[in-house]
Amino acid sequence: MKKTKNILKALDYTILGELPDKITSIHNNSKEVKPGSLFFAIKGTKVDGHKYIPEAIKNGAEAIILEDKQDQLEVPQIIVEDSRSALSKVAKSFYDDPSSQLKVVGITGTNGKTSVVYILHKIFISSGIKAGKIGTLGYTIGQNDFECSLTTPGIIELQKIFKKMVNNNVKVVAMEVSSHALALGRVNDITFSGACFTNLSQDHLDFHKTMQAYANAKAKLFSMLNKDGFAICNIDSDYSEMFIKNCSAQLLTYSLAGDADYTWSEGTTFHNSIEGIVTTPKSKIKINAPLAGKFNLQNVLAAVAISDKLAITTN
């Protein structure tokens, strides 16, 4: 339960009716609404959440955050310009801004996200750090796996997961960040300590329509980083320049072709397993990984670069 005024501090809004003193929970699905909760009516790509306001009130919503003022509602209306953006800010506040208490590294790209997150989590765990991961396969806290609905969970679910991680003493999190999540603002109020771009190929054009729009959505992740954060970029990709231009954080590169901050030394093998040496800006790291294929050379290289930047080494 939270003080309503406190969780609305980051919003510009107009109130019709009297603001409730406290809110027990927040929801953007009317079916999940409980007595004393705050319901967000969001205009989605297919469904307008304003039509579910009556159901939310019936289920016990204490107040509604919405964009279009409604006639004769028996609960207060909190009118905002963008209810999706409002949900993101309120969820951050309601769950005590948990991502700022973690080191969260976001991984984006068409291919390799799941693999890089998996490899990173293995590195974190083997180093003795309490770690988490979020992605296509659900989310993990330490060694315990849980299911979630999307590659990048919804705004509320994501903040809940981060809060759960904080409560379980997680220190670092590797997270897949989808182009949908970036385009729809699901991660706008997440604090990323670092980010990684793997590659870009034609995908999801039913949603983004063009490759340019798809690339722009992905590149948004780099623009979200603070100047004290870091970005790891695969410069073998034709789209790498777009990501570099969007980055004001410290930028480090990796490449299979050489001439980057992180590269494989000559003689590296990858047909049955990966054995070789990664050259970093400051040292050389010997790698022996039970993975095969040239594509995994890129995935391992990305994970090593991130771990090196976080100063995490395996035992």
Side-chain angles (χ1 to χ4, degrees), residues 30-97:
S30 59
K31 290 181 171 57
E32 297 174 355
V33 169
K34 302 170 184 177
S37 61
L38 180 61
F39 175 70
F40 290 76
I42 294 176
K43 292 181 178 180
T45 55
K46 295 180 181 179
V47 178
D48 186 349
H50 288 71
K51 68 184 288 186
Y52 296 104
I53 290 173
E55 182 180 22
I57 293 172
K58 182 180 178 182
N59 288 340
E62 191 76 14
I64 309 293
I65 286 189
L66 71 174
E67 297 174 20
D68 302 330
K69 182 176 70 173
Q70 306 290 296
D71 293 329
Q72 299 179 333
L73 287 190
E74 61 265 37
V75 301
Q77 300 182 52
I78 302 166
I79 304 166
V80 297
E81 184 177 342
D82 184 336
S83 52
R84 188 188 300 275
S85 175
L87 174 60
S88 181
K89 290 178 171 58
V90 170
K92 172 183 175 179
S93 178
F94 190 87
Y95 290 101
D96 304 315
D97 192 12

Side-chain angles (χ1 to χ4, degrees), residues 127-144:
S127 72
I129 294 173
K130 187 73 176 286
K133 63 180 172 69
I134 303 172
T136 306
L137 303 178
Y139 69 97
T140 301
I141 297 177
Q143 307 260 17
N144 298 313

Side-chain angles (χ1 to χ4, degrees), residues 105-124 132-137 173-177 194-199 230 232-234 254 291 294-307 310:
V105 181
I107 317 298
T108 198
T110 305
N111 300 306
K113 294 190 301 297
T114 302
S115 295
V116 173
V117 165
Y118 177 83
I119 296 166
L120 274 174
H121 189 255
K122 289 292 186 183
I123 292 172
F124 296 158
K133 63 180 172 69
I134 303 172
T136 306
L137 303 178
V173 181
M175 172 185 172
E176 293 184 52
V177 184
C196 175
F197 165 60
T198 60
N199 55 62
F230 69 89
I232 307 292
C233 185
N234 175 17
Y254 69 97
L291 300 167
K294 193 172 183 179
F295 63 95
N296 271 320
L297 282 178
Q298 288 191 324
N299 296 334
V300 171
L301 198 54
V304 169
I306 294 166
S307 299
L310 291 170

Side-chain angles (χ1 to χ4, degrees), residues 12-289:
D12 291 323
Y13 62 90
T14 302
I15 180 76
L16 291 180
E18 186 175 346
L19 203 64
D21 182 49
K22 294 180 180 179
I23 290 296
T24 58
S25 59
I26 58 174
H27 304 278
N28 63 330
N29 183 337
S30 59
K31 290 181 171 57
E32 297 174 355
V33 169
K34 302 170 184 177
S37 61
L38 180 61
F39 175 70
F40 290 76
I42 294 176
K43 292 181 178 180
T45 55
K46 295 180 181 179
V47 178
D48 186 349
H50 288 71
K51 68 184 288 186
Y52 296 104
I53 290 173
E55 182 180 22
I57 293 172
K58 182 180 178 182
N59 288 340
E62 191 76 14
I64 309 293
I65 286 189
L66 71 174
E67 297 174 20
D68 302 330
K69 182 176 70 173
Q70 306 290 296
D71 293 329
Q72 299 179 333
L73 287 190
E74 61 265 37
V75 301
Q77 300 182 52
I78 302 166
I79 304 166
V80 297
E81 184 177 342
D82 184 336
S83 52
R84 188 188 300 275
S85 175
L87 174 60
S88 181
K89 290 178 171 58
V90 170
K92 172 183 175 179
S93 178
F94 190 87
Y95 290 101
D96 304 315
D97 192 12
S99 65
S100 69
Q101 301 167 61
L102 303 161
K103 285 188 176 181
V104 181
V105 181
I107 317 298
T108 198
T110 305
N111 300 306
K113 294 190 301 297
T114 302
S115 295
V116 173
V117 165
Y118 177 83
I119 296 166
L120 274 174
H121 189 255
K122 289 292 186 183
I123 292 172
F124 296 158
I125 294 298
S126 64
S127 72
I129 294 173
K130 187 73 176 286
K133 63 180 172 69
I134 303 172
T136 306
L137 303 178
Y139 69 97
T140 301
I141 297 177
Q143 307 260 17
N144 298 313
D145 298 325
F146 304 88
E147 292 184 356
C148 60
S149 55
L150 301 166
T151 298
T152 307
I155 293 169
I156 298 173
E157 186 179 10
L158 191 53
Q159 293 289 1
K160 282 182 179 179
I161 290 170
F162 283 133
K163 182 67 173 178
K164 188 174 180 180
M165 288 180 171
V166 169
N167 290 342
N168 282 274
N169 299 312
V170 166
K171 303 302 180 186
V172 61
V173 181
M175 172 185 172
E176 293 184 52
V177 184
S178 70
S179 59
H180 289 74
L182 287 159
L184 295 173
R186 283 190 224 141
V187 294
N188 280 2
D189 289 282
I190 301 302
T191 300
F192 289 100
S193 297
C196 175
F197 165 60
T198 60
N199 55 62
L200 203 69
S201 59
Q202 188 165 312
D203 199 8
H204 301 304
L205 297 191
D206 55 330
F207 178 81
H208 295 288
K209 307 304 180 187
T210 67
M211 279 298 294
Q212 185 65 37
Y214 179 38
N216 285 340
K218 290 283 191 186
K220 181 182 174 184
L221 180 61
F222 274 29
S223 69
M224 293 171 61
L225 294 169
N226 295 324
K227 288 184 178 180
D228 58 351
F230 69 89
I232 307 292
C233 185
N234 175 17
I235 57 172
D236 292 341
S237 169
D238 292 337
Y239 289 90
S240 61
E241 193 62 35
M242 178 182 295
F243 285 77
I244 292 170
K245 287 179 180 178
N246 273 271
C247 184
S248 60
Q250 181 188 11
L251 180 76
L252 295 162
T253 60
Y254 69 97
S255 170
L256 296 186
D259 196 24
D261 295 305
Y262 293 86
T263 61
W264 286 102
S265 295
E266 188 176 347
T268 296
T269 59
F270 57 87
H271 295 294
N272 297 314
S273 64
I274 293 176
E275 293 186 39
I277 295 173
V278 172
T279 300
T280 83
K282 295 182 179 179
S283 63
K284 295 182 182 294
I285 301 173
K286 187 176 181 180
I287 302 296
N288 190 329

